[in-house]
């Protein structure tokens, strides 16, 4: 009831504030999760709730180390966001994808590449799960094709949100 509504309200406020921001990171900063974690280390008070919403693909060894250190001092909820196409590429037929100055052309029929891509996505999911388990952090992966309210309700029913 009330706790779920409060959490949904908080996430809605975060999403609204995020949409109003210009990107605080330039394209040359590398991993934006690493920069954000470094920035928040000095700003969080002991015992604060740490909510991390980021791209699932930004988890690297340095971010893992920082998440571990932060979760030792703060209750943590991690929401790694992924798009199902990130896990299916390049299983789709030939196509084009671009972001900024980067471009990617995909051709169908490259089964080895398809398998490697999918294996990489599964390993990334496992790394998030293992890290969350080790650090006793709440992990709530968010798929861009899911309804977030339904996902949070299912997480609560599973005992993830009080």
């Amino acid at each position: 009831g009330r706790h779920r509504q409060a959490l949904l309200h908080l996430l809605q406020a975060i999403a609204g504030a995020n949409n109003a921001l210009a990107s605080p990171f330039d394209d040359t900063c590398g991993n934006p999760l690493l920069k954000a974690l470094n920035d928040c280390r000095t700003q969080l008070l002991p015992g604060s709730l740490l909510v991390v919403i980021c791209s699932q693909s930004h988890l690297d060894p340095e971010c893992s180390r920082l998440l571990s250190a932060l979760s030792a001092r703060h209750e943590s909820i991690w929401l790694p966001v992924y798009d199902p196409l990130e896990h299916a590429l390049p299983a789709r037929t030939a196509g084009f994808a671009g972001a900024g100055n980067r471009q990617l052309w995909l051709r169908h029929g490259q089964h080895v590449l398809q398998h490697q891509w999918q294996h990489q996505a599964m390993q990334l999911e496992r790394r998030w799960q293992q890290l969350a388990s080790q650090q006793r952090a709440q992990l709530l992966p968010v798929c861009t094709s899911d309804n977030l309210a339904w996902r949070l309700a299912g997480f609560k029913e599973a005992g993830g949100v009080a």
Side-chain angles (χ1 to χ4, degrees):
R2 260 179 51 182
H3 294 294
R4 179 174 162 239
Q5 290 294 32
L7 180 58
L8 290 174
H9 181 69
L10 172 65
L11 290 174
Q12 187 175 30
I14 291 170
N18 186 54
N19 288 336
L21 289 174
S23 177
F25 309 112
D26 60 33
D27 289 341
T28 62
C29 80
N31 187 339
L33 177 58
L34 181 60
K35 174 140 178 44
L37 292 173
N38 276 320
D39 290 349
C40 79
R41 272 186 4 192
T42 60
Q43 305 206 6
L44 287 175
L45 298 174
S48 296
L49 174 64
L50 173 65
V51 178
V52 176
I53 304 172
C54 64
S55 171
Q56 181 185 51
S57 63
H58 286 150
L59 184 66
D60 63 17
E62 185 65 16
C63 289
S64 294
R65 186 187 66 73
L66 285 171
L67 281 169
S68 295
L70 286 165
S71 65
R73 295 190 315 265
H74 309 285
E75 183 178 349
S76 298
I77 302 173
W78 301 339
L79 295 101
V81 179
Y82 68 95
D83 189 287
L85 289 177
E86 292 173 333
H87 292 214
L89 289 175
R92 307 271 187 236
T93 57
F96 169 79
N101 294 330
R102 297 176 294 199
Q103 299 176 353
L104 173 66
W105 281 96
L106 305 172
R107 286 180 279 163
H108 66 299
Q110 296 178 338
H111 300 291
V112 172
L113 183 59
Q114 292 170 6
H115 177 72
Q116 289 172 341
W117 192 283
Q118 292 164 353
H119 180 73
Q120 180 180 338
M122 287 188 304
Q123 283 193 306
L124 190 55
E125 284 179 26
R126 272 190 233 117
R127 285 198 333 248
W128 274 104
Q129 291 167 353
Q130 289 170 345
L131 186 62
S133 177
Q134 290 168 352
Q135 301 307 319
R136 294 187 176 99
Q138 297 290 330
L139 180 65
L140 179 58
V142 177
C143 179
T144 58
S145 67
D146 289 348
N147 179 310
L148 185 56
W150 292 347
R151 182 74 172 105
L152 288 172
F155 188 64
K156 180 180 179 182
E157 289 171 9
V161 176

